[in-house]
Amino acid sequence: MMEPIAIGFVGIAALILFAGLGVPIAFSITLVGAVGMAVVTDVEFVLVTFQSLPYATASEYAFAVIPMFVLMGAIASSAGIIGELYTAVNRWLENVRGGLYIATAVASAGFAAISGSTVVNAAMFTRIALPEMLALGYHKGISAGCIAAAGTFAALIPPSLTFVIFGILTGESIGELFIAGIVPGVLTAAFYVVVIPIMLKIRPDWAPQLEVHSTFAQKLRGMTGIWPMLLLVFIVLGGIYTGITPPTAAGALGACGALLIALGRRKIGPGQIWESVRQTAELTSVLFIIIIGGLLFSRFLVVSGFVADLTVLVTDSGFTPATFILVMVLMYLVMGMFIDPLSMLVMTVPFVYPVIKSLGMDPIWFAIILTKMIEIAVITPPVGLNLFAVVSAARGQVRTGEMFTGILPFVAMEVVILGILIAFPILSTWLPDTMH
Amino acid sequence: MRFFRFLDAAIIWLGTASLAIAAVFIGLLAIIGTADSLGTQLFGLPVASALELSQAGLVIVVFMGLAYAQRRRGHVTVDIFTQHLRGTAHAAFTALALIAAMAFFGFLAWRTGVAALESYQIDERSWGLTRFPIWPSKIALTVGCVIALLESIRQFVHLCLGNPDAYETSTIEDEEVV
């Protein structure tokens, strides 16, 4: 019989092979997990696990947070909140050099508080912001890069689907993870707001200086369309922070509230409601079977003895938490160049999380670091989902090559922010600690 | 041939109908969650069996949307090595993905079907003040898997007949969410 470590690595290698051959990640991870469990235990164990685990996972009330927040984002998106948010922010920044870059960052952070999807953020802002940027003579690659990078804020600012999936796979509190993402998310957006003007001082050719003057009344009028949705976000996140509403109920409240606001303002019709619900249903199914597969794979790694042996191996080999984090950063950055973030999450969390715990690291802090690495992964060529989302939504206005070079300053910014978050764990842990 | 066309249309219809059921339950989840939350906080009146209804509703949402996601090839795939393939090589890898889909949905349908049957036979109900029946959502889970299995078989048959584009594809916004 092989050593547990060897069995685990064979399982991981088989998973990478199947996924690399184009087999959807949900099927790859489930089938490898099932065969692995049959090998290390017996067939009966696999049969019983398949009989109980899918229902147990899909009937967990806390996990209903996924469709609720997806629905909230889809409705807000259909109701045109992004356009209004972008215009409102832009009016205040129109005289600043590179104001559209900053407006994109701020508005994207605002929309991230409603939507949990980085790709949706990037694609939607491409349609709204990119034409205006290009018409005003902004640099093509930097414009596309800014939109792709700002789209990633959705991974960190709650309600983030990355946190929900991490919470489900590890058992960490989804509410605490949401709240933990607020400071790093706002910090990231603030970093963009500060660094973009500095960047444009060095390269003024990347954005023109515009002379447009909206009156104060016009600026205020621009805000009228967005405050109901922002109020809703405040109520939803406030409810989670204070513990008045659990994340699932807050999500339901958010979805119904978004629909009522959109209906009240005549911004949504039956067709858009159906489209929002259809997207939510499809996405919920896709996410849940990946999660179920991830849990099965995780169970295989546990029953094979791989997790226990790996934990002992890492602690015995003298890895300090700092060294381990460094190894993780390198691993995720390299993986992120080739593998999509969701796959990366379900493939690695089952064995990385126990090691993190055994090294005495704060799992909430690690979730923030992991999410930041995922943010970087989705904007790192050659496989950066947000890059493709922008190029695809730009409909020929930006070429892939321009995108790949335009994203580089933002990747550099993200790496600096990652360093800050690693160096100062309190930025991630302070707010959730105040919940207790 | 007419029979196969009928089967093809019937499977597509089943996928759409099950998606519509999932959509209805998404709406119900939002309404129940809101009513329960507001009722509890404002009036001290929670919705009776809100937890059990939400649990059953979530199972239906997850598994009734599967066939539609399969039809639109919406499942997350790492396609860095396969995206540039054409012709026979592309068809071979698509066939592999569909065989995996059939194995996945078939196995899941079988095992969850056994669990649903046992649950029905013992009239399984939740513990609590209201003994909410569990078996209907377990049956829905199996039905969702069976419809997704039929959809995978339909796609595989189309692929074997040299008609690989006989099913919808999703847009980039739909494919990735994290």
Side-chain angles (χ1 to χ4, degrees):
Chain A
M1 188 69 179
M2 288 166 81
E3 288 292 313
I5 284 280
I7 293 171
F9 279 121
V10 167
I12 293 166
L15 172 58
I16 293 169
L17 176 71
F18 270 113
L21 291 175
V23 175
I25 192 76
F27 310 151
S28 306
I29 202 163
T30 305
L31 297 174
V32 170
V35 172
M37 276 194 284
V39 170
V40 297
T41 57
D42 55 56
V43 175
E44 190 59 31
F45 181 79
V46 180
L47 298 181
V48 172
T49 303
F50 270 78
Q51 215 164 303
S52 57
L53 188 82
Y55 180 82
T57 309
S59 65
E60 178 62 52
Y61 174 70
F63 302 168
V65 67
I66 291 183
M68 293 301 93
F69 278 120
V70 171
L71 184 62
M72 178 179 160
I75 289 171
S77 177
S78 299
I81 184 75
I82 296 180
E84 289 181 314
L85 198 56
Y86 179 69
T87 309
V89 179
N90 189 26
R91 282 215 177 127
W92 294 90
L93 295 165
E94 57 198 2
N95 289 322
V96 179
R97 184 184 287 276
L100 291 183
Y101 294 146
I102 303 171
T104 300
V106 175
S108 192
F111 188 65
I114 301 168
S115 155
S117 164
T118 67
V119 170
V120 170
N121 265 25
M124 298 296 283
F125 273 94
T126 304
R127 285 180 200 141
I128 290 160
L130 190 67
E132 196 177 346
M133 287 172 165
L134 299 186
L136 292 173
Y138 275 60
H139 187 280
K140 214 184 260 188
I142 299 294
S143 300
C146 178
I147 293 169
T152 66
F153 296 171
L156 213 48
I157 295 175
S160 154
L161 288 177
T162 310
F163 287 147
V164 175
I165 294 164
F166 183 88
I168 293 174
L169 291 174
T170 61
E172 292 294 332
S173 156
I174 293 169
E176 276 189 44
L177 288 165
F178 275 178
I179 298 303
I182 293 176
V183 173
V186 172
L187 173 79
T188 306
F191 194 83
Y192 275 52
V193 171
V194 171
V195 173
I196 287 172
I198 297 170
M199 185 174 86
L200 293 175
K201 280 243 187 291
I202 302 163
R203 292 297 304 266
D205 55 311
W206 282 351
Q209 176 69 57
L210 303 173
E211 292 298 330
V212 193
H213 294 286
S214 296
T215 62
F216 187 70
Q218 283 173 318
K219 288 175 180 174
L220 277 185
R221 257 203 307 278
M223 305 292 287
T224 53
I226 57 167
W227 72 263
M229 213 57 101
L230 294 181
L231 180 68
L232 182 71
V233 169
F234 182 75
I235 293 169
V236 166
L237 293 183
I240 296 173
Y241 177 74
T242 54
I244 293 173
T245 44
T248 304
L253 214 55
C256 283
L259 181 62
L260 287 176
I261 291 168
L263 283 173
R265 299 181 60 227
R266 297 175 194 280
K267 291 277 186 184
I268 199 165
Q272 289 154 309
I273 294 174
W274 165 248
E275 186 53 23
S276 302
V277 178
R278 184 200 65 73
Q279 276 180 17
T280 306
E282 186 180 347
L283 221 51
T284 304
S285 294
V286 167
L287 284 176
F288 265 86
I289 58 163
I290 292 178
I291 291 166
I292 290 169
L295 291 170
L296 282 163
F297 188 68
S298 176
R299 199 169 281 195
F300 152 62
L301 292 181
V302 171
V303 296
S304 68
F306 173 78
V307 167
D309 280 16
L310 183 70
T311 309
V312 171
L313 190 73
V314 171
T315 42
D316 287 357
S317 58
F319 265 105
T320 61
T323 341
F324 189 72
I325 283 290
L326 191 67
V327 171
M328 287 295 101
V329 169
L330 290 174
M331 182 183 92
Y332 280 110
L333 290 184
V334 173
M335 275 179 84
M337 288 179 190
F338 305 100
I339 300 175
D340 71 276
L342 182 58
S343 308
M344 210 157 73
L345 203 63
V346 289
M347 284 162 79
T348 58
V349 166
F351 61 89
V352 170
Y353 177 75
V355 178
I356 289 293
K357 293 272 277 186
S358 73
L359 288 173
M361 284 187 257
D362 188 327
I364 298 280
W365 171 67
F366 179 71
I368 298 292
I369 302 299
L370 179 62
T371 307
K372 181 49 86 181
M373 289 189 280
I374 281 174
E375 279 192 357
I376 298 173
V378 295
I379 56 168
T380 316
V383 181
L385 280 168
N386 274 30
L387 307 182
F388 294 134
V390 171
V391 172
S392 159
R395 297 196 172 104
Q397 294 176 95
V398 179
R399 290 198 310 272
T400 311
E402 293 167 327
M403 176 85 253
F404 282 5
T405 47
I407 195 66
L408 295 178
F410 299 97
V411 173
M413 278 192 226
E414 289 289 338
V415 171
V416 172
I417 301 165
L418 174 66
I420 294 172
L421 292 174
I422 291 174
F424 302 102
I426 195 162
L427 292 169
S428 313
T429 55
W430 166 71
L431 203 52
D433 282 348
T434 63
M435 291 172 78
H436 300 299
Chain B
M1 204 61 196
R2 277 179 63 185
F3 176 69
F4 285 108
R5 275 204 205 102
F6 167 77
L7 267 184
D8 192 67
I11 294 169
I12 290 174
W13 183 87
L14 274 175
T16 310
S18 61
L19 177 82
I21 293 170
V24 168
F25 276 87
I26 284 175
L28 283 176
L29 280 177
I31 292 167
I32 292 167
T34 303
D36 188 50
S37 180
L38 292 179
T40 309
Q41 297 304 326
L42 300 179
F43 312 109
L45 284 174
V47 173
S49 300
L51 177 72
E52 291 81 0
L53 281 167
S54 299
Q55 287 173 327
L58 184 59
V59 173
I60 292 167
V61 169
V62 170
F63 288 92
M64 284 297 181
L66 271 185
Y68 186 77
Q70 176 65 25
R71 185 163 99 211
R72 285 168 49 86
R73 288 188 280 184
H75 296 299
V76 178
T77 307
V78 180
D79 58 359
I80 185 167
F81 303 116
T82 56
Q83 62 182 333
H84 301 297
L85 296 174
R86 295 283 176 271
T88 315
H90 181 260
F93 283 106
T94 308
L96 179 67
L98 288 173
I99 290 167
M102 289 186 285
F104 176 86
F105 292 126
F107 193 60
L108 217 55
W110 170 40
R111 294 319 300 164
T112 59
V114 171
L117 190 64
E118 284 173 5
S119 177
Y120 173 74
Q121 281 168 344
I122 60 168
D123 189 20
E124 189 182 10
R125 286 166 185 271
S126 64
W127 293 99
L129 285 175
T130 317
R131 304 291 316 275
F132 194 83
I134 288 175
W135 55 265
S137 53
K138 287 199 171 178
I139 291 174
L141 190 164
T142 306
V143 169
C145 291
V146 169
I147 300 172
L149 172 64
L150 291 174
E151 175 58 34
S152 315
I153 295 170
R154 188 189 76 83
Q155 292 178 347
F156 189 71
V157 170
H158 274 289
L159 183 74
C160 294
L161 294 174
N163 187 18
D165 296 323
Y167 34 95
E168 298 170 36
T169 53
S170 54
T171 61
I172 191 154
E173 292 100 282
D174 301 333
E175 280 175 1
E176 274 304 329
V177 289
V178 175

